[in-house]
Amino acid sequence: PGIVADIFNQSKQIVRIMDELKIGAAYLVGNSLGGRISVRVAMEHPTRIRGCVIIGAGGAVWKPAPRFVASY
């Protein structure tokens, strides 16, 4: 109640859980929105994240290079 479930709050929650469990650094695996949240955690806390596996991350903006568009 009263907490917004956006990527910023979700990423803070991951770090809080890591703190509670005394996890200094970890690998994150994120699927869809979880991928985007994992990237946010890695950007905000680079020393806490050893690596990320991102699967089908939703919300990624990608503009294909003209050479790819021309091949379709």
Side-chain angles (χ1 to χ4, degrees):
I3 298 173
V4 178
D6 60 14
I7 63 168
F8 304 104
N9 286 322
Q10 296 275 339
S11 64
K12 289 176 187 175
Q13 185 65 22
I14 290 171
V15 175
R16 281 188 212 115
I17 291 168
M18 289 174 65
D19 289 343
E20 260 186 58
L21 297 174
K22 298 181 180 12
I23 298 171
Y27 294 94
L28 294 179
V29 177
N31 179 45
S32 191
L33 181 59
R36 193 167 176 202
I37 293 167
S38 296
V39 169
R40 172 60 58 184
V41 174
M43 288 171 50
E44 292 178 351
H45 304 276
T47 61
R48 302 289 305 270
I49 305 305
R50 292 182 179 170
C52 289
V53 176
I54 309 301
I55 306 161
V61 178
W62 179 66
K63 184 177 179 184
R67 64 184 177 163
F68 294 119
V69 175
S71 65
Y72 285 104

